[in-house]
Amino acid sequence: MAYEEPITDYDKIVENCTCAFCGSNCDDLDILVKENSVVGVRHACRLGASKIMEDEDQRLKVPMMRDENGELVEVEWDTALDAAAELIANSIRPLFYGWSETNIETMKPGLELTELVGAVIDNQATICHGPTVQAVQNVGYPLMTLGEVKNRADMVVYTGSNPMNAHPRHLSRYTTYPKGWFRKRGRYDRTLVTWDPKYSDTAKLSDIWIPFEENGDYEFVNAIRAVLKGKKLTKDVIAGIPIEDIYELTEKMKNTQFGALFFGLGLTHTLSKQRNIDIAIQLIQDLNKYSKWVLLPMRGHFNVNGFNIFMSYEMGFPYGVDFCRGYPRYMIGETTTIDLLNRKEADVFLVIAADPGAHFPSGANMHLVDIPVIQIDIHWGPTTELADIVLPGTFVGVETEGTSYRMDSVPLHMKKAIDPPETCREDEWIVTELLNRVKKIKEASK
Amino acid sequence: MTYIEKPSISNVIKFDEHNVAQVDKLTVMLNTGTDIYQGACKKRGSTLKDEYRKVAGVAYMDPKDMAKLGVGNWDSVLVKSDWGAVVVYAAHSRDAPHEGMIFIPKGPWANVIVSNETYCCSDPTYKGIEATVEKSDKEVLLMADLMREVYKKYTKKAEGVN
């Protein structure tokens, strides 16, 4: 990589901003501001920096609606909001999806709107760590905060995740490299283990790499549990790993002082889905007979955990909550976004701070062709190609303040560094405005 | 436990490798997921541009598999699964060797060929999908063109006017 001169041409530094990218929510970012635009960012990783130094060309700046030719054209805020409110108020099975890349403050009016119209509210957990939440409900949640890992952990295991690609500062800020209270020498005092079929960028840094075969996670973890319980393995090779190595690894895991297991979508996206997580959590429970072990899912968006916590507090269910009967219901496989789209059930789709166009299988997205789509976002993305009404929001963490929850459920304040573009509105304002307009329509029709 | 010692793989793809039999169609396991280049490009918002096609419309393959098909870096390949077919670039995987496995970063291209079946678990199956790879002479579509071709939400109306 070519050497770049440090940026010296700036008006002010906004210190200790919280990053608005992944679930690590690094809160030590310094944003360099000149004439109300971001000219640089310090301490962020490649991902965080790329998001904060956003692509201005594709920024959504004005509300838009489709004209008769199917082209998106600029409209007034009032026109767009009224049209969106009209669609929501007159729908039978509205689906409000997203929420993970906005602040908690926006979710409040969002939930009120959901209750008012009897909609389904769901977030990105439905396509990433949904099975994790189900497993947590099945067998428990032996979690910790990342500070504990930093100060205590002497063995860190990553499985089904590749933090060097998805959470680049996770190792350097929280788990492996930092010097902690009981781990004075940082990296030298810790063993980094990766279980992954792929020789991923994290595996390349690891002390031990266990390449179990594809879809072999359940079998492999079960084998470790069997060894922990004193059983003898009868096969020579399990999930592609020779049993001597499984015995050796189990012994090492038993003899650590504090171990932490981090798992990602490699476990939830394969066929065994939540059963993979069940078994991983049970492994941690078994290991606690010998030593202290904890586990944590590697959450993707900076506030995807926040939505689950918010909904659990408010409604008792973490995601995929259905209000069509007037009270909250939660039924995995029935009230979750992909299933609703697969069954072609939803009739209005509101997407806020999410990009189903980029992240849903096209089999599910096909239903968005037949129904109106309302998008609240900051960039022109794949979903904009399917959207009928586009409402430009503001950038939480750079242009708007807010609260977000880190992957270990620690709430963090997100600072504001610059003012948003004049024609954009905060997500909270947009959702509150939609709520008020829908209320008016409902009252008028009584 | 010495799994960390990996055989090194040369960056040069040898088309005339003797122990590689040429095939027209390769049966592989498809995995999708995030990748740092895709993540950075997507969240910056540069999805309409050529760089998004270069980071998300690409199948990372084992060099041996590429030699079997006779494709080089940035050649087009057609990836087919039970759920659809899409043309993407082939590129040498930096995590090789993983013969018989391809990785396409998540994005509109991968979406066409992944399974939307949730098995009642809310989560579609994005990983471990059976697919075939073959050489293609078609150009990889840009994001907006791909969305138009796959979903056709507004193309019918636009065509009627033209």
Side-chain angles (χ1 to χ4, degrees):
Chain A
M1 199 178 284
Y3 173 74
E4 278 183 38
E5 288 290 331
I7 299 159
T8 51
D9 184 22
Y10 55 85
D11 298 338
K12 61 167 180 177
I13 301 180
V14 186
E15 284 182 338
N16 299 329
C17 293
T18 305
C19 182
F21 195 103
C22 73
S24 303
N25 291 35
C26 304
D27 50 356
D28 60 345
L29 266 50
D30 292 350
I31 298 181
L32 311 181
V33 179
K34 193 191 179 192
E35 288 161 5
N36 199 41
S37 72
V38 178
V39 291
V41 53
R42 289 182 185 155
H43 307 155
C45 65
R46 182 181 192 133
L47 293 177
S50 78
K51 186 163 181 191
I52 289 161
M53 307 286 292
E54 56 164 342
D55 192 338
E56 287 287 337
D57 304 351
Q58 279 185 237
R59 182 68 194 253
L60 295 169
K61 288 199 169 144
V62 289
M64 290 187 289
M65 280 170 69
R66 297 274 171 184
D67 64 3
E68 64 275 15
N69 298 337
E71 296 289 327
L72 280 171
V73 289
E74 181 181 342
V75 292
E76 292 293 317
W77 267 104
D78 270 332
T79 320
L81 286 168
D82 280 336
E86 197 69 39
L87 282 173
I88 293 170
N90 295 325
S91 62
I92 298 164
R93 193 106 170 105
L95 172 55
F96 301 158
Y97 169 81
W99 313 97
S100 296
E101 301 216 323
T102 185
N103 48 14
I104 298 283
E105 288 78 356
T106 307
M107 295 171 196
K108 232 176 139 181
L111 182 57
E112 211 181 324
L113 179 64
T114 313
E115 275 195 271
L116 177 69
V117 297
V120 179
I121 190 165
D122 203 359
N123 84 324
Q124 277 95 328
T126 200
I127 57 160
C128 57
H129 273 293
T132 306
V133 176
Q134 296 161 41
V136 166
Q137 290 165 343
N138 285 349
V139 285
Y141 200 14
L143 92 165
M144 67 338 200
T145 60
L146 290 167
E148 273 183 86
V149 178
K150 179 193 161 190
N151 284 322
R152 293 163 196 269
D154 61 344
M155 185 182 258
V156 179
V157 183
Y158 287 98
T159 178
S161 80
N162 184 3
M164 287 315 288
N165 271 232
H167 306 79
R169 290 185 78 205
H170 201 263
L171 277 80
S172 61
R173 193 170 142 80
Y174 300 115
T175 62
T176 311
Y177 290 94
K179 291 172 184 168
W181 186 257
F182 297 106
R183 303 288 164 233
K184 299 273 187 221
R185 297 185 303 149
R187 176 71 176 90
Y188 303 106
D189 285 346
R190 306 181 206 261
T191 312
L192 178 61
V193 186
T194 307
W195 307 342
D196 202 320
K198 221 168 68 148
Y199 189 48
S200 64
D201 292 338
T202 313
K204 284 165 200 159
L205 296 171
S206 303
D207 302 310
I208 300 167
W209 172 50
I210 310 285
F212 55 69
E213 60 197 24
E214 300 276 342
N215 288 336
D217 16 24
Y218 190 86
E219 196 182 355
F220 172 70
V221 177
N222 238 340
I224 300 183
R225 287 190 70 206
V227 175
L228 275 177
K229 292 190 168 169
K231 299 271 190 312
K232 218 170 158 300
L233 301 177
T234 47
K235 280 203 283 184
D236 292 341
V237 176
I238 291 175
I241 306 296
I243 55 165
E244 304 82 60
D245 292 334
I246 294 181
Y247 283 122
E248 196 185 328
L249 177 75
T250 313
E251 205 52 40
K252 277 191 178 159
M253 289 174 81
K254 267 162 71 175
N255 294 327
T256 51
Q257 292 172 340
F258 188 106
L261 175 78
F262 296 92
F263 63 93
L265 302 183
L267 263 59
T268 65
H269 279 172
T270 44
L271 273 176
S272 340
K273 297 190 195 286
Q274 86 272 32
R275 297 296 170 212
N276 277 334
I277 321 293
D278 280 6
I279 203 88
I281 296 173
Q282 283 168 326
L283 169 70
I284 298 302
Q285 289 167 349
D286 292 346
L287 277 166
N288 272 293
K289 289 191 184 115
Y290 300 94
S291 175
K292 174 72 182 166
W293 272 81
V294 287
L295 121 165
L296 194 70
M298 301 286 282
R299 306 307 298 265
H301 304 278
F302 68 89
N303 209 8
V304 61
N305 197 15
F307 180 87
N308 298 144
I309 290 173
F310 169 80
M311 284 307 288
S312 304
Y313 271 138
E314 294 285 330
M315 288 298 149
F317 302 119
Y319 69 99
V321 187
D322 183 3
F323 288 88
C324 72
R325 294 185 187 171
Y327 55 88
R329 280 168 72 237
Y330 159 77
M331 183 67 77
I332 300 294
E334 190 189 325
T335 64
T336 41
T337 304
I338 299 291
D339 300 279
L340 285 167
L341 294 179
N342 281 350
R343 290 199 309 269
K344 302 195 178 297
E345 227 174 78
D347 64 347
V348 168
F349 191 69
L350 170 83
V351 49
I352 170 165
D355 209 333
H359 301 144
F360 283 4
S362 60
N365 271 339
M366 275 302 173
H367 184 52
L368 299 185
V369 176
D370 306 327
I371 61 170
V373 177
I374 305 159
Q375 186 191 22
I376 303 172
D377 210 338
I378 54 171
H379 289 120
W380 186 300
T383 306
T384 317
E385 302 289 332
L386 300 172
D388 297 83
I389 300 173
V390 178
L391 304 167
T394 56
F395 194 159
V396 176
V398 177
E399 295 166 359
T400 308
E401 292 184 314
T403 311
S404 65
Y405 282 77
R406 202 165 68 183
M407 59 168 73
D408 55 350
S409 309
V410 173
L412 291 166
H413 176 65
M414 306 190 77
K415 276 189 182 175
K416 169 183 170 171
I418 57 171
D419 292 323
E422 264 175 41
T423 47
C424 296
R425 299 284 187 272
E426 288 173 7
D427 294 348
E428 190 185 351
W429 183 88
I430 298 173
V431 177
T432 312
E433 201 63 25
L434 282 176
L435 171 67
N436 293 337
R437 281 163 206 246
V438 171
K439 263 186 195 163
K440 258 185 213 164
I441 297 169
K442 290 265 175 192
E443 272 161 25
S445 65
K446 260 178 197 170
Chain B
M1 216 174 298
T2 52
Y3 291 112
I4 213 72
E5 284 163 26
K6 290 280 293 189
S8 64
I9 287 247
S10 70
N11 271 321
V12 186
I13 296 153
K14 293 175 198 146
F15 289 105
D16 54 348
E17 206 173 301
H18 296 299
N19 49 3
V20 167
Q22 291 276 324
V23 288
D24 294 333
K25 204 186 225 179
L26 210 61
T27 306
V28 292
M29 178 183 266
L30 164 71
N31 277 339
T32 70
T34 192
D35 167 75
I36 191 161
Y37 305 107
Q38 175 274 132
C41 183
K42 168 76 184 66
K43 290 290 162 74
R44 188 165 63 230
S46 314
T47 45
L48 290 169
K49 298 178 178 169
D50 182 45
E51 56 177 299
Y52 189 48
R53 169 170 69 170
K54 284 269 160 61
V55 294
V58 55
Y60 291 108
M61 296 174 69
D62 187 277
K64 266 196 181 157
D65 284 344
M66 288 173 73
K68 280 181 205 163
L69 279 177
V71 293
N73 275 338
W74 308 112
D75 285 351
S76 299
V77 287
L78 176 71
V79 186
K80 270 190 204 166
S81 75
D82 288 351
W83 288 271
V86 69
V87 177
V88 289
Y89 294 117
H92 172 212
S93 167
R94 60 184 190 282
D95 302 333
H98 49 70
E99 255 184 284
M101 197 274 268
I102 65 167
F103 179 81
I104 304 182
K106 63 180 178 191
W109 292 268
N111 287 345
V112 180
I113 43 178
V114 296
S115 156
N116 62 335
E117 183 54 72
T118 68
Y119 304 100
C120 245
C121 283
S122 85
D123 209 344
T125 311
Y126 286 107
K127 292 182 168 74
I129 296 159
E130 263 187 35
T132 60
V133 188
E134 52 200 289
K135 221 172 163 173
S136 168
D137 47 9
K138 284 196 191 136
E139 185 56 22
V140 180
L141 295 175
L142 283 167
M143 184 278 280
D145 298 331
L146 181 88
M147 295 300 281
R148 255 171 245 143
E149 191 180 294
V150 174
Y151 300 104
K152 300 187 181 73
K153 185 161 182 178
Y154 293 103
T155 43
K156 273 176 204 152
K157 281 182 194 163
E159 273 164 15
V161 171
N162 294 336

